Amino acid sequence: MPKIWKEGYFMREIGVGLLGLGTVGSGVVRMLQDHQDKISSITGRRLVIRRVVVHNPDKPRSVDLGDIPVTTDVADLIHDPTVQIVVEVMGTIEPAATYIKQLLMAGKHVVTANKDLIAQRGDELIELAVDKQRDLMYEASVAGGIPILRTIANSFPADQILEVSGIVNGTTNFILTQMNQKNMTYAAALKQAQELGFAESDPTNDVKGIDAAYKMIILTRFAFGMTLSLDDLRVEGIDSVRLEDIKQAQSLGYTVKLIGTSKEIDGKVSVEVGPTLVANDHPLAGVQNENNAVLVVGAAAGNTMFYGPGAGQLPTANSVVSDIVSVTQNIVTGFTGNAFNNYAHEAALAQDEDSKSAYYFALKLRDIPGQLLTLTKIMTETEASFKQLMQTSSDGDYAHVVMITHKISLAQLKTITAQVADLPHAELLASFRVLE
Amino acid sequence: MPKIWKEGYFMREIGVGLLGLGTVGSGVVRMLQDHQDKISSITGRRLVIRRVVVHNPDKPRSVDLGDIPVTTDVADLIHDPTVQIVVEVMGTIEPAATYIKQLLMAGKHVVTANKDLIAQRGDELIELAVDKQRDLMYEASVAGGIPILRTIANSFPADQILEVSGIVNGTTNFILTQMNQKNMTYAAALKQAQELGFAESDPTNDVKGIDAAYKMIILTRFAFGMTLSLDDLRVEGIDSVRLEDIKQAQSLGYTVKLIGTSKEIDGKVSVEVGPTLVANDHPLAGVQNENNAVLVVGAAAGNTMFYGPGAGQLPTANSVVSDIVSVTQNIVTGFTGNAFNNYAHEAALAQDEDSKSAYYFALKLRDIPGQLLTLTKIMTETEASFKQLMQTSSDGDYAHVVMITHKISLAQLKTITAQVADLPHAELLASFRVLE
């Protein structure tokens, strides 16, 4: 009998398998290798990587796997009895979803960083995990290095969360920061972000707000216990933000950020993602570059904010490893199979009439008499009013006008924008939310 | 047999007792009453307040306790078999420590918000709790409403924490914010804070940095696994901060904050609390009024920051209730008795030579030739150098001089201040750390 058996091999070790070995996967391997002792002192178990499955085993890797077998067939993980926890960092919806289901069915616990998957297919995977009494955790899926999901689940269990808002996409925050600090246009800032590796060659998911929307779907599940699909959200990206808007916002005391907001209004929930003018003394205004931050407003806790790197190899790997440690602790206590978020609550979506905010409008008006009067009429008829109205420039033919409204509903906003679109001599250049 | 028994009375309810019913205690009662359903949906148990022990039972209370018995003898809690979790919110070191020991010995789990107690007597209480396989949790003891302890314990288990810094005292941050924003002197800002209830009539513990030091002792235990006493810390309060320092800092791009810092330097740990010039683009610079924030720097996670109310009835009560829920979950899984922080690590304190920082000096020099030369000589002989040296004012007799150094060690700082103190024509008005 081998020595390791005598020392209680199957008792004291937890076998980990990896599905994918890209940037985050390599970071997870490094952290498990480097911090073995600290993890053992906390969990009472040794975490041992037993097997890695990748698409291309010949690709050079940045970590030394020693003699850990690297193969290409997920069945190798599914059927390896020495693997208890599988880390899915391969990305994609399919085949990742199918693989995770097979792993859960085979009795593995799963940790994933795959936000698209959790946002779109989370419900069925979570249900299967609970059914099989297996853990499924995904801290790294939202705001990379910020432990926001575990914090909402563990630290607000008795509080009524009123709002979760934040900067949850590092790429767009980097681009907006460059535009803001260096007077760059959107196109120039995007190009720079791509060169520096902060934006992908096809940046659509980031700049259109889709990535942020997926994260808000996951945050909404934790904060309000309800499941949404992408169609339930109002989503606007940053590709429509002009340098002029950013400068105008600056001169009024605001910073333009891509803000995701999920909030309760009279028992209904409203979720949106869009460019937003954030008052400079608001804690989200100072979140720069690729960093993320999530503001949680609790009826009891008040305003709390959690700030940190939104992505990056090691921050994301740290979140994955905190999940692995948490699963390990559950294995030790024999208490696996509870949903990562076990707060479920039936709630309806708020209507356009319920959801209120101040708005910034930028308009281009033909420089002929009566244009401002027409605009003011539209506002009055919609029962909307403005705090500030300024003509910012005029070239003789066209005048540029900026307006900040008092709080209006989404329904009023839609009426105003539709009516302005019908005006023969006016063009609406931007309409962004304002966060005081 | 009563109906409740048939429905599984002892199975499905968890009995809670309160020791103390002041501001925080009343908040805990309100939260347990108001959010019963959410807590039950998460824990699978009903939390029921069974008994309250207070010093003066006739004092009017802001919460309706219904027919919950209120008595004055802690023995009533100790011997009540229906109470499993006791919330200690009476304050004081003694008799609180003795009571908590008796409660743990009697098999109760304990949740406390008492930072002085945990900082000074935490070790023996934690040891007793682990010995008796009972939970002892104290999230509310640091930074009131910010779930920082649970976050460090749960979300950085595999990371190597390099530094924990923060604004952990709301009273002093409120005073410094008033001085900064309203050009108030320290004395005037303190008076206002007292009138608004942000400072106590005897503000010593807050303004001298003692309260912040206790919190740094607890944070150090979580971040570095080591136990310190107050004597191990370098502590300076805000009562020496002049409005002139605040204005001077502003003009140089800094905000003066009371910062607690615990950091690792080559395997040794250095902990200090003192007024600090924080660069305006540092995330801690924007933390205003009574808010707190803790910056955690992890080797993997990078810079993360946790921001929120540092005190207040409901934020603090929310932290207490999150502990109660956590203990309840441990009772359900049968896995109680693990220390709240189970990271322990032998580490030495850093020496004065190891601990380096930039410093701000404010000096008053007799306006006679050669004074600046003398000062420069002291710096040169100490192998210190400065980034900036400015004469800020002169009344003919005295010149005021401000200096910001490059990084120097605490040993160099002490040499410089001792030598300046010996100069016949110079007075050192302030020497504060600088955080870039």
Side-chain angles (χ1 to χ4, degrees):
Chain A
M1 198 172 280
K3 181 167 172 288
I4 44 174
W5 172 257
K6 277 191 287 181
E7 286 181 348
Y9 183 84
F10 290 111
M11 283 286 291
R12 306 200 148 265
E13 293 194 348
I14 299 279
V16 176
L18 271 89
L19 190 51
L21 191 64
T23 309
V24 175
S26 305
V28 171
V29 171
R30 264 183 60 189
M31 288 196 72
L32 289 179
Q33 287 171 343
D34 292 353
H35 301 292
Q36 185 62 256
D37 289 348
K38 188 175 176 194
I39 296 170
S40 296
S41 87
I42 288 171
T43 62
R45 294 292 181 276
R46 269 182 71 80
L47 297 183
V48 182
I49 299 172
R50 292 265 164 73
R51 184 175 287 281
V52 177
V53 167
V54 296
H55 186 65
N56 177 4
D58 298 325
K59 202 168 145 185
R61 310 283 170 180
S62 65
V63 284
D64 181 9
L65 289 172
D67 49 11
I68 298 167
V70 179
T71 58
T72 58
D73 189 350
V74 70
D76 296 340
L77 275 173
I78 293 168
H79 300 302
D80 186 337
T82 71
V83 169
Q84 284 119 302
I85 304 171
V86 174
V87 178
E88 182 273 302
V89 280
M90 61 181 284
T92 73
I93 304 292
E94 282 296 353
T98 301
Y99 290 173
I100 289 178
K101 282 193 209 168
Q102 291 171 332
L103 288 161
L104 291 169
M105 301 278 285
K108 312 299 182 195
H109 306 281
V110 176
V111 171
T112 174
N114 193 332
K115 71 190 152 298
D116 299 27
L117 179 63
I118 293 296
Q120 290 178 56
R121 305 276 295 273
D123 270 10
E124 59 181 283
L125 298 178
I126 291 163
E127 198 182 323
L128 178 63
V130 171
D131 186 51
K132 296 288 164 193
Q133 285 294 294
R134 290 298 175 269
D135 279 350
L136 173 65
M137 296 200 181
Y138 40 91
E139 176 70 75
S141 66
V142 177
I146 310 175
I148 185 65
L149 299 183
R150 185 158 280 115
T151 299
I152 295 179
N154 291 347
S155 298
F156 295 87
D159 200 359
Q160 183 193 359
I161 293 179
L162 306 173
E163 178 179 339
V164 177
S165 288
I167 294 168
V168 290
N169 179 275
T171 304
T172 48
N173 200 47
F174 180 83
I175 292 171
L176 291 173
T177 303
Q178 297 304 305
M179 292 173 73
N180 195 53
Q181 291 180 349
K182 298 185 185 156
N183 276 329
M184 294 171 92
T185 62
Y186 167 72
L190 170 60
K191 186 155 173 282
Q192 193 194 30
Q194 287 171 320
E195 284 164 5
L196 292 171
F198 288 122
E200 293 177 52
S201 54
D202 176 2
T204 312
N205 255 22
D206 290 319
V207 301
K208 292 279 186 196
I210 311 294
D211 176 86
Y214 284 145
K215 289 161 179 169
M216 292 313 298
I217 289 173
I218 300 173
L219 284 171
T220 300
R221 205 182 272 149
F222 276 67
F224 300 110
M226 73 186 287
T227 298
L228 301 175
S229 71
L230 203 50
D231 298 338
D232 297 323
L233 278 69
R234 188 179 150 81
V235 181
E236 186 179 348
I238 63 158
D239 46 344
S240 61
V241 177
R242 304 165 310 140
L243 182 55
E244 289 74 19
D245 296 317
I246 290 196
K247 285 185 186 171
Q248 196 56 56
Q250 273 176 351
S251 75
L252 296 167
Y254 299 94
T255 307
V256 179
K257 295 288 183 190
L258 183 71
I259 301 290
T261 298
S262 179
K263 67 179 165 194
E264 202 209 276
I265 306 157
D266 298 332
K268 297 175 190 168
V269 174
S270 164
V271 190
E272 56 186 306
V273 171
T276 304
L277 272 68
V278 182
N280 282 341
D281 61 357
H282 189 287
L284 290 173
V287 178
Q288 309 292 13
N289 296 317
E290 72 277 21
N291 287 304
N292 281 196
V294 179
L295 178 75
V296 180
V297 183
N303 289 8
T304 53
M305 191 180 83
F306 307 91
Y307 163 99
Q313 181 183 40
L314 291 179
T316 309
N318 185 52
S319 288
V320 170
V321 175
S322 70
D323 280 350
I324 297 174
V325 168
S326 187
V327 174
T328 301
Q329 289 170 326
N330 288 343
I331 292 173
V332 170
T333 60
F335 203 66
T336 57
N338 284 280
F340 188 11
N341 162 48
N342 47 16
Y343 176 46
H345 180 70
E346 284 291 325
L349 281 175
Q351 303 298 305
D352 285 354
E353 288 71 25
D354 306 323
S355 188
K356 286 179 182 151
S357 180
Y359 282 87
Y360 157 93
F361 288 93
L363 301 113
K364 190 170 143 183
L365 302 177
R366 193 68 183 273
D367 211 350
I368 52 175
Q371 294 305 303
L372 271 186
L373 180 64
T374 307
L375 185 64
T376 316
K377 257 192 192 158
I378 290 176
M379 294 285 289
T380 309
E381 281 163 14
T382 323
E383 292 177 31
S385 62
F386 47 79
K387 284 207 297 204
Q388 286 180 286
L389 177 70
M390 286 150 295
Q391 179 168 324
T392 58
S393 67
S394 168
D395 59 7
D397 291 332
Y398 287 95
H400 282 82
V401 169
V402 156
M403 175 167 70
I404 289 188
T405 70
H406 287 117
K407 281 200 173 184
I408 59 175
S409 70
L410 213 45
Q412 286 171 297
L413 174 74
K414 287 180 179 175
T415 305
I416 294 168
T417 49
Q419 296 199 4
V420 170
D422 282 345
L423 293 180
H425 303 297
E427 188 187 346
L428 183 60
L429 301 171
S431 61
F432 301 148
R433 278 181 63 217
V434 175
L435 196 61
E436 294 296 343
Chain B
M1 196 171 280
K3 182 170 172 288
I4 43 175
W5 170 257
K6 277 192 286 180
E7 287 183 347
Y9 183 83
F10 290 110
M11 283 286 293
R12 306 200 147 267
E13 294 193 348
I14 298 279
V16 176
L18 270 89
L19 189 51
L21 192 64
T23 309
V24 175
S26 305
V28 171
V29 171
R30 262 182 61 189
M31 288 197 70
L32 290 179
Q33 288 171 344
D34 293 354
H35 301 291
Q36 184 62 257
D37 289 348
K38 188 175 176 194
I39 296 171
S40 296
S41 87
I42 288 171
T43 61
R45 294 293 181 275
R46 267 183 73 80
L47 298 183
V48 181
I49 300 172
R50 292 262 164 74
R51 184 175 287 282
V52 177
V53 168
V54 296
H55 187 65
N56 177 4
D58 299 326
K59 201 168 146 188
R61 309 284 170 179
S62 65
V63 285
D64 180 9
L65 288 172
D67 49 10
I68 299 166
V70 179
T71 58
T72 58
D73 189 351
V74 70
D76 296 341
L77 275 173
I78 293 168
H79 300 301
D80 187 337
T82 71
V83 168
Q84 285 120 301
I85 304 172
V86 174
V87 178
E88 183 274 302
V89 279
M90 61 181 284
T92 75
I93 304 292
E94 281 298 351
T98 301
Y99 291 174
I100 289 178
K101 281 192 207 166
Q102 291 171 332
L103 288 161
L104 291 169
M105 300 277 286
K108 312 299 182 195
H109 307 280
V110 176
V111 171
T112 174
N114 193 331
K115 67 190 154 298
D116 299 26
L117 179 63
I118 292 297
Q120 290 178 58
R121 306 275 296 272
D123 270 10
E124 60 182 281
L125 298 177
I126 292 162
E127 197 182 323
L128 178 63
V130 172
D131 187 50
K132 295 288 165 193
Q133 285 294 293
R134 290 299 174 267
D135 279 351
L136 173 65
M137 297 200 181
Y138 41 93
E139 177 65 84
S141 67
V142 177
I146 310 176
I148 184 65
L149 298 183
R150 185 158 280 115
T151 299
I152 295 179
N154 291 346
S155 297
F156 295 86
D159 200 359
Q160 183 193 0
I161 292 179
L162 305 174
E163 179 179 337
V164 177
S165 287
I167 294 168
V168 290
N169 179 276
T171 304
T172 48
N173 200 48
F174 181 82
I175 293 171
L176 291 173
T177 303
Q178 297 305 304
M179 292 173 73
N180 195 53
Q181 292 181 348
K182 297 182 185 158
N183 276 329
M184 293 172 93
T185 62
Y186 167 73
L190 170 61
K191 187 154 172 284
Q192 193 194 32
Q194 286 171 322
E195 284 164 6
L196 291 171
F198 288 122
E200 295 177 51
S201 54
D202 176 3
T204 313
N205 255 21
D206 290 319
V207 302
K208 292 280 185 195
I210 311 294
D211 176 86
Y214 284 145
K215 289 162 178 168
M216 293 312 300
I217 288 173
I218 300 173
L219 284 171
T220 301
R221 205 182 270 149
F222 276 69
F224 300 110
M226 73 186 288
T227 298
L228 302 176
S229 71
L230 203 51
D231 298 338
D232 297 324
L233 279 70
R234 187 179 151 80
V235 180
E236 186 179 347
I238 65 157
D239 46 344
S240 61
V241 177
R242 304 165 310 141
L243 182 55
E244 290 74 16
D245 297 318
I246 290 194
K247 285 185 185 170
Q248 197 56 56
Q250 273 176 352
S251 75
L252 295 167
Y254 298 93
T255 307
V256 178
K257 296 287 182 191
L258 183 71
I259 300 290
T261 299
S262 179
K263 66 179 167 194
E264 201 208 278
I265 306 156
D266 299 331
K268 297 175 190 167
V269 174
S270 163
V271 190
E272 56 186 307
V273 171
T276 305
L277 273 67
V278 182
N280 282 341
D281 61 357
H282 190 286
L284 289 173
V287 178
Q288 309 291 11
N289 296 316
E290 73 278 20
N291 288 305
N292 281 196
V294 179
L295 178 76
V296 180
V297 183
N303 288 9
T304 53
M305 191 180 83
F306 306 91
Y307 162 98
Q313 180 182 41
L314 290 179
T316 309
N318 185 52
S319 289
V320 170
V321 175
S322 70
D323 280 350
I324 297 175
V325 168
S326 188
V327 174
T328 301
Q329 288 170 326
N330 288 343
I331 292 174
V332 171
T333 59
F335 204 65
T336 57
N338 284 280
F340 189 12
N341 162 48
N342 47 16
Y343 176 45
H345 180 68
E346 285 291 324
L349 281 175
Q351 303 299 306
D352 285 354
E353 289 70 26
D354 306 323
S355 190
K356 286 180 183 152
S357 181
Y359 281 88
Y360 157 91
F361 289 94
L363 301 116
K364 190 171 143 182
L365 302 177
R366 191 70 181 276
D367 211 349
I368 51 175
Q371 294 304 302
L372 271 186
L373 180 63
T374 308
L375 185 65
T376 316
K377 255 192 193 156
I378 291 177
M379 293 286 290
T380 309
E381 281 161 16
T382 322
E383 293 177 29
S385 62
F386 46 81
K387 281 207 299 204
Q388 286 179 285
L389 177 69
M390 286 149 295
Q391 179 168 322
T392 59
S393 67
S394 169
D395 59 8
D397 292 331
Y398 288 95
H400 281 82
V401 169
V402 156
M403 176 166 73
I404 289 188
T405 70
H406 288 293
K407 281 199 174 184
I408 58 175
S409 70
L410 214 44
Q412 286 171 295
L413 174 75
K414 288 180 179 176
T415 305
I416 294 168
T417 50
Q419 295 199 4
V420 170
D422 282 345
L423 293 180
H425 303 296
E427 188 186 344
L428 183 61
L429 301 170
S431 60
F432 301 149
R433 278 181 62 215
V434 176
L435 195 61
E436 295 296 344

